[in-house]
Amino acid sequence: QVTLRESGPALVKPTQTLTLTCTFSGFSFSISGMGVSWMRQSPGKALEWLALIDWDNDKYYSPSLKTRLTISKDASKNQVVLTMTNMDPADTATYYCARRDKLLFNAFDIWGQGTMVTVSS
Amino acid sequence: DIQMTQSPSTLSVSVGDTITITCRASQRINNWLAWYQQKPGNAPKLLIYKASTLETGVTSRFSGSGSGTEFTLTISSLQPDDFATYYCQQGLTFGGGTKVEIK
């Protein structure tokens, strides 16, 4: 069974750096075509894609947030970490990680439950 | 960057109705398009990938079609469990969502 779980602080202050961890099980980054992506959703808003890391360590970032994001993986721990610098109240959202399987034509087939992050002083 | 535009943004419908949601791409795309269902407080759930392939375990009342720049998600015989928000996704871009609500 494939599962993903997001973890990180529920509250961060403006200008701080957010670090979120996605811990997954049931699949491996050693499999060609596997990737893990981060998305977010502000209250009442649409989904927004943030970043993706592939099995071969290729990384992709949202053009609008590229300067603030870093994605990395620790395959030995089955974890993917996303950092976002210079947090702002506008970054208040639920952050999701999800598996991307190229066999499913780049669909995100398994999602974590999400973690709510509030940016406030 | 490719933009994905969904319409309508809201649909007010009744149980038993058949509905269609449209997703338009700003340029021709391959058929690597997916559809998701999201209920309040829950993560999105994959319904369809490759424009028309039903994800395992998803009811056949959901169907997808399209090519080029226009794609559709059809839900037949709407059930109470289908009232949710639906998103299309191509590559690393999501559509703006369509909320299906009870009339």
Side-chain angles (χ1 to χ4, degrees):
Chain A
Q1 181 188 9
V2 174
T3 63
L4 300 95
R5 185 183 77 249
E6 305 89 350
S7 59
L11 179 66
V12 296
K13 290 180 168 48
T15 75
Q16 287 187 335
T17 294
L18 172 69
T19 299
L20 295 173
T21 300
C22 177
T23 304
F24 60 86
S25 64
F27 70 98
S28 169
F29 262 121
S30 64
I31 300 173
S32 175
M34 286 298 167
V36 171
S37 192
W38 284 94
M39 277 70 70
R40 71 179 179 181
Q41 188 171 37
S42 300
K45 302 296 185 182
L47 293 164
E48 179 184 14
W49 174 77
L50 301 177
L52 168 72
I53 188 164
D54 268 334
W55 80 101
D56 56 0
N57 213 38
D58 279 347
K59 302 168 186 177
Y60 306 87
Y61 296 100
S62 166
S64 62
L65 294 168
K66 184 176 182 177
T67 60
R68 300 173 53 204
L69 296 174
T70 303
I71 192 169
S72 63
K73 64 178 172 67
D74 186 333
S76 65
K77 293 182 179 179
N78 281 356
Q79 290 181 334
V80 171
V81 175
L82 180 76
T83 62
M84 180 181 291
T85 61
N86 195 24
M87 292 292 285
D88 181 89
D91 296 314
T92 293
T94 297
Y95 288 74
Y96 296 99
C97 63
R99 183 178 77 164
R100 194 288 318 275
D101 186 349
K102 277 199 169 181
L103 289 179
L104 299 183
F105 296 81
N106 285 347
F108 301 108
D109 64 334
I110 308 294
W111 294 62
Q113 64 186 13
T115 186
M116 178 67 191
V117 177
T118 300
V119 184
S120 175
S121 54
Chain B
D1 297 345
I2 297 175
Q3 307 299 317
M4 306 299 292
T5 302
Q6 277 183 246
S7 61
S9 57
T10 306
L11 262 177
S12 297
V13 297
S14 302
V15 173
D17 286 351
T18 293
I19 66 170
T20 297
I21 298 169
T22 298
C23 183
R24 289 187 174 87
S26 57
Q27 63 190 72
R28 280 186 68 87
I29 62 174
N30 52 32
N31 63 345
W32 290 28
L33 183 109
W35 290 96
Y36 302 84
Q37 176 194 66
Q38 187 180 33
K39 297 179 181 178
N42 289 350
K45 171 188 174 185
L46 177 64
L47 299 174
I48 287 170
Y49 61 93
K50 199 188 172 187
S52 60
T53 303
L54 211 59
E55 170 71 329
T56 303
V58 175
T59 174
S60 58
R61 293 187 297 99
F62 291 92
S63 62
S65 65
S67 64
T69 62
E70 187 161 324
F71 299 83
T72 60
L73 172 70
T74 298
I75 312 173
S76 60
S77 186
L78 211 71
Q79 298 300 300
D81 191 49
D82 300 335
F83 290 96
T85 300
Y86 294 85
Y87 293 94
C88 63
Q89 170 247 332
Q90 196 280 336
L92 303 175
T93 305
F94 288 90
T98 296
K99 183 178 181 180
V100 177
E101 61 182 25
I102 300 174
K103 185 185 292 184

